[in-house]
């Protein structure tokens, strides 16, 4: 892939546990890494139910391999793209050649736990 293919900015989030003054624990998603990516649409999908349209679009983001993203886990990663939330379905390390990583995602309104 050429440099011009990486034309959109994405933010990768990882979970962090915060503890308040009295010891309550709370999960929070913190910005982990920001980079340029190439986007391809896997499956556009909109569902209707009770006069509400649900957008379950699946996108695939291709990013360059680097030391910071060499150990990603799909269960501990979220993506923000164009101010929309995407849950990670899977991560493909592209034949382990240490060149590209493909992140398969699904659009969501709220994060699941």
């Amino acid at each position: 892939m050429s440099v011009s293919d990486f034309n959109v900015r994405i933010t990768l989030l990882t979970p962090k546990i915060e503890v308040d003054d009295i010891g309550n624990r709370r999960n929070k998603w913190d910005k982990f890494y920001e980079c340029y990516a190439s986007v391809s649409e896997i499956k556009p999908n909109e569902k209707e139910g009770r006069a509400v349209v649900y957008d379950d679009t699946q996108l695939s983001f291709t990013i360059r391999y680097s030391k910071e993203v060499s150990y990603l886990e799909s269960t501990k990663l979220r993506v923000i793209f164009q101010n929309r939330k995407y849950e990670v379905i899977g991560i493909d390390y592209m034949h382990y050649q240490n060149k590209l990583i493909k992140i398969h995602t699904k659009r969501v309104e709220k994060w699941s736990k």
Side-chain angles (χ1 to χ4, degrees):
M1 291 186 106
S2 67
V3 173
S4 62
D5 292 335
F6 299 97
N7 57 358
V8 296
R9 193 90 168 149
I10 64 170
T11 303
L12 303 178
L13 307 172
T14 55
K16 179 182 175 185
I17 297 175
E18 280 188 342
V19 180
D20 63 8
D21 297 337
I22 58 174
N24 295 325
R25 293 175 180 245
R26 193 174 134 188
N27 291 337
K28 181 181 176 188
W29 291 95
D30 275 354
K31 184 170 121 176
F32 161 67
Y33 190 69
E34 207 170 23
C35 62
Y36 283 96
S38 173
V39 179
S40 57
E41 192 168 46
I42 299 172
K43 185 171 78 172
N45 190 13
E46 288 183 351
K47 299 177 190 173
E48 276 190 52
R50 297 187 182 190
V52 178
V53 177
Y54 299 101
D55 185 8
D56 289 338
T57 302
Q58 292 184 6
L59 296 180
S60 180
F61 299 98
T62 304
I63 62 173
R64 287 192 195 134
Y65 182 90
S66 69
K67 177 177 62 172
E68 291 86 3
V69 295
S70 62
Y71 58 91
L72 296 177
E73 295 180 44
S74 62
T75 58
K76 297 180 180 176
L77 187 67
R78 302 289 187 261
V79 177
I80 300 287
F81 169 60
Q82 294 181 344
N83 294 324
R84 294 188 176 144
K85 301 172 184 178
Y86 291 87
E87 245 180 31
V88 175
I89 299 170
I91 298 173
D92 182 6
Y93 284 93
M94 309 288 282
H95 309 293
Y96 293 98
Q97 295 177 350
N98 297 345
K99 293 181 182 178
L100 299 172
I101 297 173
K102 190 171 275 197
I103 303 170
H104 303 285
T105 63
K106 180 175 104 174
R107 183 162 181 238
V108 293
E109 294 298 321
K110 295 180 184 177
W111 302 124
S112 65
K113 300 204 177 205

